[in-house]
Amino acid sequence: MNLTKDRFGGLLFLLLSVTYGYYAADIPLLPGDKFEVFHAQTLPYWLSGLGVVFSVLLIVLKPVASSTSEPLFKSNVLLMFGLMAFTFLFSVALPWLGFPITTSIFLASSYWMLGERRPKMLVFASVPFALVFWLLLTQVLDVYIAPARLLFW
Amino acid sequence: MFEGVFTGLSTALMPFNLLMVVLGCFSGTFIGMLPGLGPISAVALMIPITYTLDPSSGIILMAGVYYGAVFGGSTSSILINAPGCASTLVTTFDGYPLAQKNQAGKALALAAYASFCGGTVGAIILIFAAPALASVSLSFQSSDYFALMLLGLTSVAAFSGKGQVIKSMLMTVFGLMIATVGNDVITGAPRYTFGQMDLVDGVSFLLLAMATFALAEVMMTIMRGKMYANSETMQPVALSSMKLSMSEVKEVAPTVARSSVFGFIVGVLPGAGATIASFLAYGLERNLAPLRLRKMFGKGALRGLAAPESANNAASTGSFVPLLTLGIPGSGTTAIMLGALIAYGIQPGPRLYLDHPDIFWSVIISMYFGNLVLLILNLPLIPYISRLLAIPPQILNPLIIFFSIIGVYLVSFNTFDIQMMVFITLMAVGLKMLDFPMAPMLLGFILGGMLEKNLSRALVVSDGSFDFLWNRPLTLSIMCATITILLLPGVISFIKRIGSKGLPGAD
């Protein structure tokens, strides 16, 4: 039995369903709930069971060749992880550096990562954009955006 | 009914709502044109904006974005042979060959006229079909609702294509699992929060929709290298005259009429949607065409372009029928709209027709205006809008990522949501690489809460017995339909296998 995409996916979901079912026991019940026909644990247990059944079916049944999958470029997979890392860092830096600075850095670094090397483009497509968007939110739409925490340090 | 139509007309004709239709159609056309971003992503990107609007305007905006995105998808299919979404894939079969024959303008005009006719026919049928179905569904009980939700969830899986049924079912279950995160709606007990206060309210619908559709789609586009490897070949072809001759109009008129009605019917079926409608309409027209014209299919046949275009627009309109009348979305896009309506505190379903006639009718009426806007405003502007395709992807993609994350952040002002988005996007990308479809998961997530409430109510009423599934004729009928739909793909492939074994030399 080869480990095809389908079987690998099935194994992942099997693991997920078993773990999900295991943690269903941790859901607190109200006194007397155990005797009710339906309580907070009921659906999670059923879903876990269904998940196990479908995962096993996916693992056991003959895989069907998919015609929709397109080849992915390995270098671009790294690019995707890089962009996701930038997004994560954006969320960490946002409260500390404030909206305009964080957004400018995030956009400029993302442009650079995706292949933009012209310094003028890197600056003009990020800093003015971030400032205009920030002004639009705070001055026109009256949305409150907390100032950078570093300013108060 | 006419009172409702006038209420809807007066709401849809409000200058602000007309502006929303225009804005929605424009932004939808633009987003839909970008390869990789379809109507689902376009509507998901609009959700944060709709939170600042009243429900009618918000839904009208989303509906406009929906048609606009389908239209935009057709434009990129014709001009650069890159369908913006699955439902316009068939458009490339004859649209792009027409563009290569220096008839891009004609192809775009035909696509717009066919879309307009499909959408208009769909909107007219919807005006009569929706209230009729809504009045019937007023007699529904919790057991019927539970059965209906099962029908919706299984239909999405059943129509998902060869080899995808079990994967879709798994994704539906996964969506239901995600819906259980947070405080239980019935008892208030925390479930799967792992002590995290940020998870007490559960996973936000907006966050999930943005992460799995907008953000994950951009990431997939980047990974496929489409916009990079082929950027030189993706230059739009030059437009020519947009005029159609009388003989050409006569040739495609019956096709448009047939495909519009056919598309609407397919669109009404939960889970079927515009993609299946466009493929089926194309196949139907090819089979109906005389041999001389049949040979032209795939080489620039006008009928081959008109059929999928009218069918996908009519199906888009048709998919609103189960959403507005039963509260069950017929497609991934309407699933997002259902989530948005619930976020407004409005429960779509039979009561929507009675409790919020302004929303019910204004959405239906605005569909017509949407189609009109696409024809009158968007078509002449296509040469200019298509220039937006020239924005370098290394600039465009970070902006789409930025708008996705900031849209979620501006609703909650909680950076944990962005981190959660990163996690869900990575998970969605992984699942997409394993060919797992995302729409069933979102549908499961959206229907999860309602499904649990109705199941619990039905079980309590029947004292813990499952006989509520067959006690009422209506519930039984819906359950029979569910089982039929679930077993249909398997039975069809079994019959095909038996048939092919019986034929000598069949492979």
Side-chain angles (χ1 to χ4, degrees):
Chain A
M1 191 184 267
N2 295 330
L3 187 65
T4 57
K5 263 187 187 183
D6 285 6
R7 289 197 177 116
F8 182 66
L11 280 172
L12 280 181
F13 270 103
L14 184 63
L15 190 72
L16 174 84
S17 305
V18 172
T19 315
Y20 179 82
Y22 175 78
Y23 280 107
D26 285 356
I27 298 169
L29 294 179
L30 298 173
D33 257 3
K34 284 243 158 162
F35 307 104
E36 291 291 331
V37 290
F38 197 94
H39 51 72
Q41 290 179 351
T42 312
L43 191 68
Y45 274 129
W46 291 356
L47 290 177
S48 168
L50 271 176
V52 169
V53 170
F54 288 127
S55 322
V56 170
L57 278 174
L58 194 61
I59 295 166
V60 172
L61 290 180
K62 194 179 161 190
V64 179
S66 169
S67 58
T68 54
S69 35
E70 289 175 54
L72 303 173
F73 295 88
K74 268 187 189 166
S75 57
N76 292 343
V77 175
L78 288 176
L79 210 60
M80 187 272 294
F81 276 111
L83 284 171
M84 285 285 91
F86 279 164
T87 311
F88 184 84
L89 289 174
F90 173 81
S91 75
V92 176
L94 188 60
W96 293 98
L97 300 178
F99 187 88
I101 297 176
T102 320
T103 304
S104 303
I105 297 172
F106 170 76
L107 287 175
S109 47
S110 303
Y111 298 149
W112 186 85
M113 188 161 218
L114 290 179
E116 182 57 64
R117 292 290 182 271
R118 289 168 289 178
K120 270 186 188 172
M121 187 61 125
L122 286 173
V123 174
F124 287 118
S126 56
V127 180
F129 174 85
L131 283 173
V132 169
F133 195 73
W134 177 69
L135 284 171
L136 182 80
L137 287 174
T138 54
Q139 306 302 312
V140 181
L141 297 172
D142 214 15
V143 176
Y144 174 76
I145 291 179
R149 275 187 212 164
L150 274 184
L151 290 175
F152 302 102
W153 251 38
Chain B
M1 187 182 91
F2 289 106
E3 196 186 331
V5 174
F6 287 121
T7 310
L9 201 61
S10 60
T11 312
L13 277 176
M14 281 163 65
F16 185 73
N17 288 342
L18 282 176
L19 182 72
M20 289 297 110
V21 176
V22 175
L23 194 72
C25 287
F26 270 122
S27 43
T29 305
F30 170 55
I31 301 171
M33 222 183 249
L34 303 172
L37 291 182
I40 301 184
S41 318
V43 173
L45 279 167
M46 285 294 140
I47 300 170
I49 297 170
T50 61
Y51 281 175
T52 60
L53 306 171
D54 69 88
S56 302
S57 309
I59 298 299
I60 287 172
L61 175 72
M62 281 201 263
V65 170
Y66 189 8
Y67 318 126
V70 175
F71 182 73
S74 312
T75 308
S76 58
S77 293
I78 293 167
L79 292 181
I80 57 173
N81 201 24
C85 55
S87 63
T88 56
L89 180 67
V90 189
T91 307
T92 59
F93 295 175
D94 286 286
Y96 189 62
L98 273 171
Q100 283 181 314
K101 288 178 188 171
N102 205 20
Q103 294 182 349
K106 188 184 277 185
L108 281 171
L110 179 60
Y113 297 141
S115 299
F116 172 74
C117 294
T120 305
V121 169
I124 291 168
I125 304 175
L126 185 67
I127 287 179
F128 295 99
L133 194 57
S135 55
V136 170
S137 57
L138 274 173
S139 61
F140 281 20
Q141 292 182 3
S142 51
S143 57
D144 307 320
Y145 273 116
F146 172 71
L148 262 176
M149 278 162 206
L150 275 190
L151 175 68
L153 293 175
T154 47
S155 318
V156 170
F159 285 111
S160 53
K162 197 181 177 190
Q164 292 276 308
V165 178
I166 297 175
K167 283 181 174 178
S168 301
M169 295 305 291
L170 257 177
M171 289 305 280
T172 308
V173 172
F174 185 40
L176 290 168
M177 284 178 179
I178 300 174
T180 60
V181 175
N183 280 358
D184 175 27
V185 280
I186 302 163
T187 63
R191 298 193 289 194
Y192 302 101
T193 56
F194 303 106
Q196 275 274 356
M197 281 305 287
D198 292 305
L199 287 174
V200 165
D201 284 337
V203 179
S204 134
F205 149 74
L206 173 67
L207 190 157
L208 194 69
M210 290 291 232
T212 52
F213 286 100
L215 217 47
E217 282 301 334
V218 174
M219 294 301 157
M220 287 303 284
T221 311
I222 289 171
M223 283 200 298
R224 284 183 192 125
K226 251 186 192 172
M227 296 177 94
Y228 302 92
N230 301 330
S231 56
E232 282 166 21
T233 58
M234 283 171 75
Q235 296 303 318
V237 293
L239 297 183
S240 54
S241 162
M242 288 190 167
K243 280 182 186 164
L244 285 170
S245 68
M246 195 45 109
S247 62
E248 286 167 337
V249 173
K250 273 184 186 170
E251 183 195 331
V252 295
T255 301
V256 170
R258 269 193 301 268
S259 305
S260 302
V261 178
F262 182 70
F264 183 86
I265 295 167
V266 176
V268 170
L269 301 172
T275 309
I276 294 179
S278 59
F279 271 98
L280 291 178
Y282 186 83
L284 180 77
E285 279 310 313
R286 193 174 49 188
N287 290 337
L288 287 178
L291 196 63
R292 174 181 56 86
L293 289 175
R294 198 180 303 172
K295 283 180 185 167
M296 284 298 294
F297 273 71
K299 294 171 189 164
L302 293 180
R303 283 187 186 201
L305 176 62
E309 278 302 305
S310 358
N312 69 25
N313 262 51
S316 303
T317 312
S319 66
F320 278 85
V321 173
L323 172 74
L324 294 175
T325 58
L326 305 171
I328 291 176
S331 62
T333 316
T334 45
I336 290 182
M337 293 172 87
L338 171 69
L341 276 170
I342 293 170
Y344 276 126
I346 294 162
Q347 182 60 59
R351 297 293 310 176
L352 181 71
Y353 174 53
L354 297 173
D355 297 341
H356 300 281
D358 52 328
I359 296 174
F360 184 90
W361 285 107
S362 60
V363 171
I364 295 176
I365 302 290
S366 72
M367 281 178 195
Y368 189 77
F369 290 134
N371 285 302
L372 214 59
V373 167
L374 287 178
L375 191 71
I376 298 171
L377 290 179
N378 275 20
L379 184 62
L381 291 177
I382 277 294
Y384 307 100
I385 299 176
S386 63
R387 283 185 193 165
L388 292 170
L389 284 168
I391 294 178
Q394 66 268 28
I395 301 293
L396 194 64
N397 284 332
L399 288 175
I400 296 173
I401 298 171
F402 171 73
F403 282 121
S404 306
I405 56 175
I406 216 64
V408 171
Y409 175 74
L410 288 178
V411 172
S412 64
F413 292 98
N414 186 354
T415 50
F416 174 81
D417 280 1
I418 302 178
Q419 290 153 18
M420 185 86 166
M421 251 182 120
V422 170
F423 172 72
I424 293 177
T425 306
L426 288 174
M427 185 196 69
V429 167
L431 288 170
K432 276 171 184 270
M433 285 166 81
L434 292 170
D435 296 330
F436 280 89
M438 288 293 130
M441 184 196 72
L442 200 65
L443 199 59
F445 174 77
I446 291 167
L447 292 180
M450 283 187 277
L451 184 118
E452 187 173 14
K453 244 188 264 177
N454 284 297
L455 174 64
S456 124
R457 214 174 285 157
L459 272 172
V460 169
V461 169
S462 66
D463 207 15
S465 162
F466 277 93
D467 61 6
F468 69 86
L469 290 174
W470 53 84
N471 269 353
R472 278 168 56 81
L474 188 60
T475 321
L476 181 65
S477 316
I478 302 169
M479 285 308 293
C480 287
T482 307
I483 294 166
T484 311
I485 286 175
L486 195 61
L487 297 179
L488 206 61
V491 173
I492 290 172
S493 72
F494 180 73
I495 292 170
K496 272 185 185 168
R497 218 179 301 157
I498 297 281
S500 63
K501 272 181 189 171
L503 290 171
D507 53 1

